[in-house]
Amino acid sequence: MTKINTSLHSSRRKSRKAHFGAPSSVRRTIMSAPLSKELRDKHNARSIPIRKDDEVSITRGTHKGREGKVTSVYRLKYVIHVDRVSREKSNGKTEPIGIHPSKCVVTKLKMDKDRENILDRISRGREAKSKKGKSEA
């Protein structure tokens, strides 16, 4: 069987190196989160790179069901920090808990001109793909 995407390595070693040695611009796309059903229908997009001030709902792990606003996107560690999702350290300080964006669902987007352009571009691509599929059938 031939490789589908020739720009990606199927080697475990090279895939891990590409992932953990990725630059910030690539980490942004890796740190995409799925959209809620309402947003998915509204924007015709399945997922979008997460950013500060988006509102998310956690879908996996011990904090499943918790909701909040993204306070920071920690690209170096591949995690996001959500407000009110924190633990108390032994010295009394509270520390935010890192959550991977794929384990969250975006419930409300912080919209600006750039974000609208991104969603529009994704939507147009999906529409073009669906038209292409229909014409062949």
Side-chain angles (χ1 to χ4, degrees):
M1 192 173 128
T2 59
K3 281 175 78 169
I4 296 165
N5 190 347
T6 54
S7 65
L8 295 174
H9 288 286
S10 53
S11 161
R12 174 180 163 86
R13 181 203 285 189
K14 291 177 182 177
S15 295
R16 285 178 59 82
K17 185 177 187 217
H19 183 268
F20 293 110
S24 184
S25 56
V26 175
R27 286 177 187 241
R28 179 179 164 273
T29 53
I30 293 171
M31 292 179 71
S32 291
L35 298 175
S36 66
K37 286 196 168 57
E38 298 83 42
L39 289 173
R40 204 184 301 171
D41 294 337
K42 183 180 175 187
H43 298 293
N44 192 21
R46 190 162 188 84
S47 66
I48 192 165
I50 202 145
R51 71 171 276 185
K52 190 178 172 181
D53 295 329
D54 282 347
E55 286 183 26
V56 296
S57 174
I58 300 167
T59 56
R60 291 281 183 275
T62 52
H63 302 286
K64 183 178 182 176
R66 305 266 296 269
E67 293 185 23
K69 192 177 268 194
V70 177
T71 54
S72 70
V73 178
Y74 205 148
R75 286 190 190 165
L76 188 70
K77 290 185 175 180
Y78 283 109
V79 294
I80 59 169
H81 294 146
V82 181
D83 66 331
R84 297 187 307 274
V85 179
S86 57
R87 64 186 288 267
E88 198 166 298
K89 291 170 70 172
S90 57
N91 64 4
K93 267 188 179 173
T94 58
E95 191 177 56
I97 293 173
I99 293 151
H100 196 275
S102 67
K103 307 301 173 199
C104 302
V105 168
V106 178
T107 53
K108 190 175 178 210
L109 291 165
K110 182 177 192 291
M111 291 301 273
D112 58 8
K113 205 193 306 181
D114 294 329
R115 212 84 189 279
E116 285 173 15
N117 290 342
I118 291 166
L119 286 165
D120 187 48
R121 192 171 65 228
I122 293 169
S123 179
R124 276 187 280 133
R126 287 174 70 100
E127 285 168 8
K129 197 173 185 180
S130 67
K131 284 179 186 174
K132 183 181 164 187
K134 286 177 183 172
S135 64
E136 290 175 6

